[in-house]
Amino acid sequence: MPHIQMNDANIYYEDSAPDDQQKPTIMFAHGLLWSTQMYDAQVAHFKDEYRCIAFDFRGQGQSEITKSGYDMDTLAKDAIALLDALSIDECHFVGLSMGGFIGQRIAINHPERLSSLILLETSADPEDPKSAPQYRKLISAIRWLGMKRVSKKVMPIMFGNTFLTDKARKSECKAWLAKIQDNHKVGVTKATMGVIEREGVYDQLGSITTPTLIVVGDEDVATPYEKSERMHFAIVGSKFAVIKGAGHTATVEEPEQVNTVIRKFLAQCI
């Protein structure tokens, strides 16, 4: 799959139907430490009916590690630039965690580009002052020790207990641990700083008129239920769904549940 140079970054993306301009488009934006791969189950499920675009944020996955541009506003511009480059006027936007930070900003500042907004495991608030110091310590550990040495401490943040303790999914769990370890320490530290230094957009959620679905795993410790409920109450007409047995990476932990709630929501958006 191709890379594209835009907004001062070389961005990797995957396009399930590059020659099909008739299908409606779903754009998938991943969470911190991940890549397009966290949406493999969703792309496989929806690609027959939708043109599925998944991309790696700068500094992560297969995209370029740039010197700057890791703030949420620049990353939102990256997403818009990718839509422009692919001649896509509007899309259904799916954003998980960091991807959700981007989706909210697009809905606030460029609502004409969205057919709908699906926010997974995310928040409209700035980073919690109580957790920010822990993330800064994590960044220091990554810089000095590398991603592999701290990866096991990250897993309980990214996944719920059900997934982590399921013996039948032990090999799957190991595979995702390896994906975390594959992160380049320079790119991931820059991306993490962008996340923990982000500004909140909660006060602007009332301006969102895009049809919106908010999804949270009932075992999510990174952005728990209360943060999702807070967004739900702030966005007029938004829908709300809870994924049972899932933590902060529900697309991987419970893909069938996630696909079902997204499909039901998209059917209402036609």
Side-chain angles (χ1 to χ4, degrees):
M1 284 292 179
H3 286 75
I4 189 167
Q5 186 71 31
M6 58 184 204
N7 203 24
D8 299 321
N10 196 336
I11 300 297
Y12 172 83
Y13 72 98
E14 297 179 358
D15 185 345
S16 69
D19 300 319
D20 192 337
Q21 301 293 327
Q22 302 304 312
K23 287 181 178 178
T25 298
I26 303 178
M27 173 174 270
F28 294 95
H30 66 82
L32 183 66
L33 304 185
W34 299 124
S35 69
T36 62
Q37 293 177 319
M38 71 175 303
Y39 288 115
D40 283 353
Q42 286 66 51
V43 172
H45 182 79
F46 288 103
K47 66 181 182 180
D48 288 343
E49 300 163 64
Y50 295 86
R51 180 182 180 185
C52 296
I53 309 292
F55 69 100
D56 291 342
F57 286 110
R58 60 175 69 198
Q60 299 180 79
Q62 299 182 59
S63 287
E64 180 185 2
I65 300 172
T66 58
K67 290 184 178 180
S68 61
Y70 296 88
D71 61 284
M72 299 302 105
D73 289 335
T74 299
L75 298 182
K77 290 178 182 177
D78 287 350
I80 293 292
L82 180 55
L83 289 175
D84 289 343
L86 299 178
S87 300
I88 298 171
D89 293 331
E90 63 180 77
C91 68
H92 300 282
F93 190 95
V94 180
L96 189 149
S97 193
M98 183 179 72
F101 305 153
I102 304 313
Q104 292 171 67
R105 283 162 172 76
I106 296 174
I108 291 166
N109 299 308
H110 301 280
E112 73 283 356
R113 305 306 296 267
L114 300 184
S115 305
S116 73
L117 174 64
I118 300 171
L119 301 173
L120 304 162
E121 327 286 353
T122 193
S123 168
D125 300 310
E127 192 60 50
D128 188 333
K130 295 179 181 178
S131 61
Q134 297 175 345
Y135 287 123
R136 292 182 187 279
K137 288 181 181 179
L138 178 64
I139 290 172
S140 295
I142 293 171
R143 283 174 175 161
W144 289 102
L145 302 175
M147 197 68 214
K148 190 172 183 178
R149 294 285 295 274
V150 302
S151 58
K152 289 186 178 179
K153 292 184 178 180
V154 174
M155 289 294 280
I157 299 173
M158 293 298 174
F159 296 101
N161 189 60
T162 297
F163 177 78
L164 292 174
T165 59
D166 187 344
K167 293 181 180 179
R169 304 182 75 177
K170 190 174 182 179
S171 61
E172 193 178 348
C173 189
K174 285 185 177 180
W176 287 99
L177 174 63
K179 294 180 193 302
I180 288 180
Q181 294 172 346
D182 282 343
N183 277 289
H184 193 288
K185 67 178 183 180
V186 174
V188 80
T189 53
K190 288 177 179 289
T192 303
M193 285 302 297
V195 165
I196 66 175
E197 293 179 346
R198 73 185 186 279
E199 295 181 359
V201 295
Y202 177 79
D203 291 341
Q204 301 176 66
L205 294 186
S207 68
I208 293 179
T209 57
T210 302
T212 302
L213 170 66
I214 297 165
V215 181
V216 64
D218 64 358
E219 298 180 10
D220 190 345
V221 296
T223 52
Y225 179 94
E226 292 76 17
K227 289 186 176 293
S228 294
E229 185 180 56
R230 178 170 154 86
M231 290 189 298
H232 172 49
F233 290 149
I235 301 176
V236 177
S238 63
K239 307 296 183 182
F240 190 69
V242 177
I243 306 299
K244 295 181 180 180
H248 194 59
T249 317
T251 56
V252 171
E253 297 168 83
E254 290 294 334
E256 291 186 7
Q257 285 191 62
V258 172
N259 293 345
T260 297
V261 297
I262 290 177
R263 177 171 290 281
K264 181 179 179 180
F265 173 71
L266 291 177
Q268 299 171 350
C269 295
I270 296 175

Coordinates of all heavy atoms in Angstrom, one line a residue, residues 172-252:
E172 N -2.6 -14.3 20.5 CA -3.1 -13.0 20.0 C -2.5 -11.9 20.9 O -2.1 -10.9 20.4 CB -4.6 -13.0 20.0 CG -5.2 -11.9 19.2 CD -6.7 -11.9 19.2 OE1 -7.3 -13.0 19.6 OE2 -7.3 -10.9 18.8
C173 N -2.6 -12.1 22.2 CA -2.0 -11.1 23.1 C -0.5 -10.9 22.9 O -0.1 -9.8 22.9 CB -2.3 -11.6 24.6 SG -1.9 -10.4 25.8
K174 N 0.2 -12.0 22.7 CA 1.6 -11.9 22.4 C 1.9 -11.1 21.1 O 2.9 -10.3 21.0 CB 2.3 -13.2 22.4 CG 2.4 -13.9 23.7 CD 3.2 -15.2 23.5 CE 3.4 -15.9 24.9 NZ 4.1 -17.2 24.8
A175 N 1.1 -11.3 20.1 CA 1.2 -10.6 18.8 C 1.1 -9.1 19.0 O 1.8 -8.4 18.4 CB 0.2 -11.2 17.8
W176 N 0.1 -8.7 19.8 CA -0.1 -7.3 20.0 C 1.0 -6.7 20.9 O 1.3 -5.5 20.7 CB -1.5 -7.0 20.5 CG -2.5 -7.2 19.5 CD1 -3.3 -8.3 19.2 CD2 -2.8 -6.3 18.4 NE1 -4.1 -8.1 18.1 CE2 -3.8 -6.9 17.6 CE3 -2.4 -5.0 18.1 CZ2 -4.4 -6.3 16.4 CZ3 -2.9 -4.4 16.9 CH2 -3.9 -5.1 16.1
L177 N 1.5 -7.4 21.8 CA 2.6 -7.0 22.6 C 3.8 -6.7 21.7 O 4.5 -5.7 21.8 CB 3.0 -8.0 23.7 CG 4.3 -7.8 24.5 CD1 4.1 -6.5 25.3 CD2 4.6 -9.0 25.4
A178 N 4.0 -7.6 20.7 CA 5.1 -7.4 19.7 C 4.9 -6.2 18.9 O 5.9 -5.5 18.6 CB 5.2 -8.7 18.8
K179 N 3.7 -5.9 18.6 CA 3.4 -4.7 17.8 C 3.7 -3.4 18.6 O 4.2 -2.4 18.0 CB 1.9 -4.6 17.4 CG 1.5 -5.7 16.4 CD 0.1 -5.6 16.0 CE -0.4 -6.9 15.3 NZ 0.3 -7.2 14.0
I180 N 3.4 -3.4 19.9 CA 3.8 -2.3 20.7 C 5.3 -2.1 20.7 O 5.9 -1.0 20.6 CB 3.3 -2.5 22.2 CG1 1.8 -2.3 22.2 CG2 4.0 -1.5 23.1 CD1 1.2 -2.4 23.6
Q181 N 6.0 -3.3 20.8 CA 7.5 -3.2 20.9 C 8.1 -2.8 19.6 O 9.3 -2.3 19.6 CB 8.0 -4.6 21.3 CG 7.6 -5.1 22.7 CD 8.0 -6.5 23.0 OE1 8.3 -7.3 22.0 NE2 7.9 -6.9 24.2
D182 N 7.4 -2.9 18.5 CA 7.9 -2.5 17.2 C 7.9 -0.9 17.0 O 8.5 -0.4 16.1 CB 7.1 -3.1 16.1 CG 7.4 -4.5 15.8 OD1 8.5 -5.0 16.3 OD2 6.6 -5.2 15.2
N183 N 7.3 -0.2 17.9 CA 7.3 1.3 17.8 C 8.7 1.8 17.9 O 9.5 1.4 18.7 CB 6.4 1.9 19.0 CG 5.0 1.9 18.7 OD1 4.5 2.6 17.8 ND2 4.2 1.0 19.4
H184 N 9.0 2.8 17.0 CA 10.2 3.5 17.1 C 10.2 4.5 18.3 O 9.3 5.3 18.4 CB 10.5 4.3 15.8 CG 11.9 4.8 15.6 ND1 12.4 5.8 16.4 CD2 12.9 4.4 14.8 CE1 13.6 6.1 16.0 NE2 13.9 5.2 15.1
K185 N 11.2 4.4 19.1 CA 11.2 5.2 20.4 C 11.1 6.7 20.1 O 10.5 7.4 20.9 CB 12.3 4.8 21.3 CG 13.7 5.2 20.9 CD 14.7 4.8 21.9 CE 16.1 5.3 21.6 NZ 17.1 4.9 22.6
V186 N 11.7 7.2 19.1 CA 11.7 8.6 18.8 C 10.2 9.0 18.4 O 9.7 10.0 18.9 CB 12.7 9.0 17.7 CG1 12.5 10.5 17.3 CG2 14.1 8.8 18.2
G187 N 9.7 8.3 17.4 CA 8.3 8.6 16.9 C 7.3 8.5 18.0 O 6.4 9.4 18.2
V188 N 7.4 7.5 18.8 CA 6.4 7.3 19.9 C 6.5 8.3 21.0 O 5.5 8.7 21.6 CB 6.4 5.8 20.4 CG1 7.5 5.6 21.4 CG2 5.1 5.4 21.0
T189 N 7.7 8.7 21.3 CA 7.8 9.8 22.3 C 7.2 11.1 21.9 O 6.6 11.8 22.6 CB 9.3 9.9 22.8 OG1 10.1 10.2 21.7 CG2 9.8 8.7 23.5
K190 N 7.5 11.4 20.6 CA 6.9 12.6 20.1 C 5.4 12.6 20.0 O 4.7 13.5 20.4 CB 7.4 12.9 18.6 CG 8.9 13.3 18.6 CD 9.4 13.5 17.1 CE 10.8 13.9 17.0 NZ 11.0 15.3 17.4
A191 N 4.9 11.4 19.6 CA 3.4 11.2 19.5 C 2.8 11.3 20.9 O 1.7 11.9 21.1 CB 3.1 9.9 18.8
T192 N 3.4 10.7 21.9 CA 2.9 10.7 23.2 C 2.9 12.1 23.8 O 1.9 12.5 24.5 CB 3.7 9.7 24.1 OG1 3.7 8.4 23.6 CG2 3.1 9.7 25.5
M193 N 3.9 12.9 23.6 CA 3.9 14.2 24.0 C 2.8 15.0 23.4 O 2.1 15.8 24.1 CB 5.3 14.9 23.7 CG 6.4 14.4 24.6 SD 6.2 14.8 26.4 CE 6.0 16.5 26.4
G194 N 2.5 14.8 22.2 CA 1.4 15.5 21.5 C 0.1 15.2 22.2 O -0.8 16.0 22.4
V195 N -0.1 13.9 22.6 CA -1.3 13.5 23.3 C -1.4 14.1 24.7 O -2.5 14.7 25.0 CB -1.4 12.0 23.4 CG1 -2.5 11.5 24.4 CG2 -1.7 11.4 22.0
I196 N -0.4 14.0 25.5 CA -0.5 14.5 26.9 C -0.5 16.0 27.0 O -1.0 16.6 28.0 CB 0.6 13.9 27.8 CG1 2.0 14.4 27.4 CG2 0.5 12.4 27.8 CD1 3.1 14.0 28.3
E197 N -0.1 16.7 25.9 CA -0.1 18.2 25.9 C -1.3 18.8 25.2 O -1.4 20.0 25.1 CB 1.2 18.7 25.3 CG 2.4 18.4 26.2 CD 3.7 19.0 25.5 OE1 3.7 19.3 24.3 OE2 4.7 19.0 26.3
R198 N -2.2 17.9 24.8 CA -3.4 18.4 24.0 C -4.3 19.3 24.8 O -4.4 19.2 26.0 CB -4.2 17.2 23.4 CG -5.0 16.5 24.5 CD -5.7 15.3 24.0 NE -6.5 14.7 25.0 CZ -6.2 13.9 26.0 NH1 -4.9 13.6 26.1 NH2 -7.0 13.4 26.9
E199 N -4.9 20.2 24.1 CA -6.0 21.0 24.7 C -7.3 20.3 24.6 O -7.6 19.5 23.7 CB -6.1 22.4 24.0 CG -4.8 23.2 24.1 CD -5.0 24.6 23.4 OE1 -6.0 24.8 22.8 OE2 -4.0 25.3 23.4
G200 N -8.2 20.6 25.6 CA -9.5 20.0 25.6 C -10.4 20.7 24.6 O -10.2 21.9 24.3
V201 N -11.4 20.0 24.1 CA -12.4 20.6 23.2 C -13.8 20.5 23.7 O -14.8 20.7 23.0 CB -12.3 20.0 21.8 CG1 -11.0 20.3 21.1 CG2 -12.6 18.5 21.8
Y202 N -14.0 20.1 25.0 CA -15.3 19.8 25.5 C -16.2 21.0 25.4 O -17.4 20.8 25.0 CB -15.2 19.4 27.0 CG -16.5 19.2 27.7 CD1 -17.2 18.0 27.5 CD2 -17.1 20.2 28.4 CE1 -18.4 17.8 28.1 CE2 -18.4 20.0 29.0 CZ -19.0 18.8 28.8 OH -20.3 18.6 29.4
D203 N -15.8 22.2 25.6 CA -16.6 23.4 25.5 C -17.1 23.6 24.1 O -18.1 24.4 23.9 CB -15.9 24.6 26.0 CG -15.6 24.6 27.5 OD1 -16.3 23.8 28.2 OD2 -14.7 25.3 28.0
Q204 N -16.5 23.0 23.1 CA -17.0 23.2 21.7 C -17.9 22.0 21.2 O -18.3 22.1 20.1 CB -15.7 23.3 20.8 CG -14.8 24.4 21.2 CD -13.5 24.4 20.3 OE1 -13.6 24.7 19.1 NE2 -12.4 24.2 21.0
L205 N -18.1 21.0 22.0 CA -18.8 19.9 21.5 C -20.3 20.2 21.2 O -20.9 19.6 20.3 CB -18.8 18.8 22.6 CG -17.5 18.1 22.9 CD1 -17.7 16.9 23.8 CD2 -16.8 17.6 21.6
G206 N -20.8 21.3 21.8 CA -22.2 21.7 21.6 C -22.4 22.2 20.1 O -23.6 22.2 19.7
S207 N -21.3 22.5 19.5 CA -21.4 23.0 18.1 C -21.5 21.8 17.1 O -21.7 22.0 15.9 CB -20.3 23.9 17.7 OG -19.0 23.2 17.7
I208 N -21.2 20.6 17.5 CA -21.2 19.5 16.6 C -22.6 19.1 16.2 O -23.5 18.8 17.0 CB -20.5 18.2 17.2 CG1 -19.0 18.6 17.4 CG2 -20.6 17.0 16.4 CD1 -18.2 17.4 18.1
T209 N -22.9 19.1 14.9 CA -24.2 18.7 14.4 C -24.1 17.4 13.6 O -25.1 16.9 13.1 CB -24.7 19.8 13.5 OG1 -23.8 20.1 12.4 CG2 -25.0 21.1 14.3
T210 N -22.9 16.9 13.4 CA -22.6 15.6 12.6 C -23.3 14.5 13.4 O -23.1 14.4 14.6 CB -21.1 15.4 12.5 OG1 -20.5 16.5 11.8 CG2 -20.9 14.1 11.7
P211 N -24.0 13.6 12.8 CA -24.5 12.4 13.5 C -23.3 11.7 14.1 O -22.3 11.3 13.5 CB -25.1 11.5 12.4 CG -25.4 12.5 11.3 CD -24.4 13.6 11.3
T212 N -23.4 11.4 15.4 CA -22.3 10.9 16.2 C -22.6 9.7 17.1 O -23.7 9.6 17.7 CB -21.8 12.0 17.2 OG1 -21.4 13.2 16.4 CG2 -20.6 11.6 18.0
L213 N -21.7 8.7 17.0 CA -21.8 7.5 17.9 C -20.6 7.5 18.8 O -19.5 7.7 18.4 CB -21.8 6.3 17.0 CG -21.6 4.9 17.8 CD1 -22.8 4.7 18.7 CD2 -21.4 3.8 16.8
I214 N -20.9 7.3 20.1 CA -19.8 7.2 21.1 C -19.8 5.8 21.7 O -20.8 5.3 22.1 CB -20.0 8.3 22.2 CG1 -19.9 9.7 21.6 CG2 -19.0 8.1 23.3 CD1 -20.5 10.8 22.5
V215 N -18.6 5.2 21.6 CA -18.4 3.8 22.1 C -17.4 3.7 23.1 O -16.3 4.3 23.0 CB -18.1 2.9 20.8 CG1 -17.9 1.5 21.3 CG2 -19.1 3.1 19.7
V216 N -17.6 2.9 24.1 CA -16.6 2.7 25.2 C -16.7 1.2 25.7 O -17.7 0.6 25.7 CB -16.8 3.6 26.4 CG1 -18.2 3.4 27.1 CG2 -15.7 3.6 27.4
G217 N -15.5 0.7 26.0 CA -15.4 -0.6 26.6 C -15.7 -0.6 28.1 O -15.2 0.4 28.7
D218 N -16.4 -1.6 28.6 CA -16.7 -1.5 30.0 C -15.5 -1.8 30.9 O -15.6 -1.7 32.1 CB -17.9 -2.5 30.3 CG -17.6 -3.9 30.1 OD1 -16.5 -4.3 29.6 OD2 -18.5 -4.8 30.4
E219 N -14.3 -2.2 30.3 CA -13.1 -2.4 31.1 C -12.0 -1.4 30.7 O -10.9 -1.6 31.1 CB -12.6 -3.8 30.8 CG -13.6 -4.9 31.3 CD -13.0 -6.3 31.0 OE1 -11.8 -6.5 30.7 OE2 -13.8 -7.3 31.2
D220 N -12.4 -0.3 30.1 CA -11.5 0.7 29.7 C -11.0 1.5 30.9 O -11.8 2.2 31.5 CB -12.1 1.7 28.6 CG -11.1 2.6 28.0 OD1 -9.9 2.7 28.5 OD2 -11.4 3.1 26.9
V221 N -9.7 1.4 31.2 CA -9.1 2.2 32.3 C -8.5 3.5 31.9 O -8.2 4.4 32.6 CB -8.1 1.4 33.2 CG1 -8.8 0.2 33.8 CG2 -7.0 0.9 32.3
A222 N -8.1 3.5 30.6 CA -7.4 4.7 30.0 C -8.4 5.9 29.9 O -8.1 7.0 30.2 CB -6.8 4.4 28.7
T223 N -9.6 5.6 29.2 CA -10.6 6.6 29.1 C -11.9 6.0 29.5 O -12.7 5.5 28.7 CB -10.7 7.2 27.7 OG1 -10.8 6.1 26.8 CG2 -9.5 8.0 27.3
P224 N -12.2 6.0 30.8 CA -13.3 5.2 31.3 C -14.7 5.7 30.9 O -14.8 6.8 30.3 CB -13.2 5.3 32.9 CG -12.3 6.5 33.1 CD -11.4 6.6 31.9
Y225 N -15.7 5.0 31.2 CA -17.1 5.2 30.9 C -17.5 6.7 31.1 O -18.2 7.3 30.2 CB -18.0 4.3 31.7 CG -19.5 4.4 31.5 CD1 -20.2 3.6 30.6 CD2 -20.2 5.4 32.2 CE1 -21.5 3.7 30.4 CE2 -21.6 5.5 32.0 CZ -22.2 4.7 31.1 OH -23.6 4.8 30.9
E226 N -17.2 7.2 32.2 CA -17.6 8.6 32.6 C -17.2 9.6 31.5 O -18.0 10.6 31.2 CB -17.1 9.0 33.9 CG -17.6 8.2 35.1 CD -17.1 6.8 35.3 OE1 -16.0 6.5 34.6 OE2 -17.7 6.0 35.9
K227 N -16.0 9.5 30.9 CA -15.6 10.5 29.9 C -16.4 10.3 28.7 O -16.7 11.3 28.0 CB -14.1 10.3 29.6 CG -13.2 10.7 30.8 CD -11.7 10.6 30.4 CE -10.9 11.1 31.5 NZ -11.0 12.6 31.8
S228 N -16.8 9.1 28.3 CA -17.6 8.9 27.1 C -19.0 9.4 27.3 O -19.6 10.1 26.5 CB -17.6 7.4 26.7 OG -16.4 7.0 26.3
E229 N -19.5 9.2 28.5 CA -20.9 9.6 28.9 C -20.9 11.2 28.9 O -21.9 11.8 28.4 CB -21.3 9.1 30.2 CG -22.7 9.4 30.7 CD -23.0 8.9 32.0 OE1 -22.3 9.2 33.0 OE2 -24.0 8.2 32.1
R230 N -19.9 11.8 29.3 CA -19.8 13.3 29.3 C -19.9 13.8 27.9 O -20.6 14.8 27.7 CB -18.4 13.6 30.0 CG -18.1 15.1 30.1 CD -16.9 15.2 31.0 NE -16.1 16.4 30.7 CZ -16.4 17.6 31.2 NH1 -17.4 17.8 32.0 NH2 -15.6 18.7 30.9
M231 N -19.2 13.2 27.0 CA -19.3 13.6 25.6 C -20.7 13.4 25.0 O -21.2 14.2 24.3 CB -18.3 12.8 24.7 CG -16.8 13.2 25.0 SD -15.7 12.4 23.7 CE -16.0 10.7 24.0
H232 N -21.3 12.2 25.4 CA -22.6 11.9 24.9 C -23.6 12.9 25.3 O -24.5 13.4 24.5 CB -23.0 10.5 25.5 CG -24.4 10.1 25.2 ND1 -25.0 10.2 24.0 CD2 -25.3 9.6 26.1 CE1 -26.2 9.7 24.1 NE2 -26.5 9.4 25.3
F233 N -23.5 13.4 26.5 CA -24.5 14.4 27.0 C -24.2 15.8 26.3 O -25.1 16.6 26.2 CB -24.4 14.6 28.5 CG -24.9 13.4 29.3 CD1 -24.4 13.0 30.5 CD2 -26.0 12.6 28.8 CE1 -24.9 12.0 31.2 CE2 -26.5 11.6 29.5 CZ -26.0 11.2 30.7
A234 N -23.0 16.0 25.9 CA -22.6 17.3 25.3 C -22.9 17.4 23.8 O -23.2 18.5 23.3 CB -21.1 17.6 25.5
I235 N -23.0 16.3 23.1 CA -23.2 16.3 21.7 C -24.7 15.9 21.4 O -25.1 14.8 21.7 CB -22.3 15.3 20.9 CG1 -20.8 15.7 21.2 CG2 -22.6 15.3 19.4 CD1 -19.9 14.7 20.6
V236 N -25.4 16.9 21.0 CA -26.9 16.8 20.8 C -27.2 15.6 19.8 O -26.7 15.6 18.7 CB -27.5 18.1 20.3 CG1 -29.0 17.9 20.1 CG2 -27.3 19.2 21.4
G237 N -28.1 14.7 20.2 CA -28.5 13.6 19.4 C -27.5 12.5 19.2 O -27.8 11.6 18.4
S238 N -26.4 12.5 20.0 CA -25.5 11.4 19.8 C -26.0 10.1 20.3 O -26.8 10.1 21.2 CB -24.2 11.8 20.5 OG -24.4 11.9 21.9
K239 N -25.5 9.0 19.8 CA -25.8 7.7 20.2 C -24.7 7.2 21.1 O -23.5 7.6 21.0 CB -26.0 6.7 19.0 CG -27.0 7.2 18.0 CD -28.4 7.4 18.5 CE -29.4 7.8 17.4 NZ -30.8 8.0 18.0
F240 N -25.0 6.2 22.0 CA -24.0 5.7 22.9 C -24.1 4.2 23.0 O -25.2 3.6 23.0 CB -24.3 6.3 24.3 CG -23.3 6.1 25.3 CD1 -22.1 6.7 25.3 CD2 -23.5 5.3 26.4 CE1 -21.1 6.6 26.2 CE2 -22.6 5.1 27.4 CZ -21.3 5.7 27.3
A241 N -22.9 3.5 23.0 CA -22.8 2.1 23.1 C -21.7 1.6 24.0 O -20.6 2.2 24.0 CB -22.7 1.5 21.7
V242 N -21.9 0.6 24.7 CA -20.9 0.0 25.6 C -20.5 -1.4 25.1 O -21.4 -2.2 24.8 CB -21.4 -0.1 27.0 CG1 -20.4 -0.8 27.9 CG2 -21.8 1.3 27.6
I243 N -19.2 -1.6 25.0 CA -18.7 -2.9 24.5 C -18.4 -3.7 25.7 O -17.5 -3.4 26.5 CB -17.5 -2.7 23.6 CG1 -17.9 -1.8 22.4 CG2 -17.1 -4.1 23.0 CD1 -19.0 -2.3 21.5
K244 N -19.0 -4.9 25.9 CA -18.8 -5.7 27.0 C -17.5 -6.5 26.9 O -17.2 -7.0 25.8 CB -20.0 -6.7 27.2 CG -21.3 -6.0 27.6 CD -22.4 -7.0 27.8 CE -23.7 -6.3 28.1 NZ -24.8 -7.2 28.3
G245 N -16.7 -6.6 28.0 CA -15.5 -7.4 28.0 C -14.4 -6.7 27.2 O -13.4 -7.4 26.8
A246 N -14.4 -5.4 27.0 CA -13.4 -4.7 26.2 C -12.7 -3.6 27.0 O -13.4 -2.9 27.8 CB -13.9 -4.2 24.9
G247 N -11.5 -3.4 26.8 CA -10.7 -2.3 27.4 C -10.6 -1.2 26.4 O -11.5 -0.8 25.8
H248 N -9.4 -0.7 26.3 CA -9.1 0.6 25.5 C -8.9 0.3 24.0 O -8.7 1.2 23.3 CB -7.9 1.3 26.1 CG -7.7 2.7 25.6 ND1 -8.7 3.6 25.8 CD2 -6.7 3.3 25.0 CE1 -8.2 4.8 25.3 NE2 -7.0 4.6 24.8
T249 N -8.9 -1.0 23.7 CA -8.7 -1.3 22.2 C -9.8 -2.3 21.8 O -9.5 -3.4 21.3 CB -7.3 -2.0 22.0 OG1 -6.3 -1.2 22.8 CG2 -6.9 -1.9 20.6
A250 N -11.0 -1.8 21.9 CA -12.2 -2.7 21.6 C -12.2 -3.2 20.2 O -12.7 -4.3 20.0 CB -13.5 -1.9 21.9
T251 N -11.6 -2.5 19.2 CA -11.6 -3.0 17.9 C -10.9 -4.3 17.7 O -11.2 -5.2 16.8 CB -11.0 -2.0 16.9 OG1 -9.7 -1.7 17.4 CG2 -11.8 -0.7 16.8
V252 N -9.9 -4.6 18.6 CA -9.2 -5.8 18.6 C -9.8 -6.8 19.6 O -9.9 -8.0 19.3 CB -7.7 -5.5 19.1 CG1 -6.9 -6.8 19.3 CG2 -7.0 -4.7 18.0

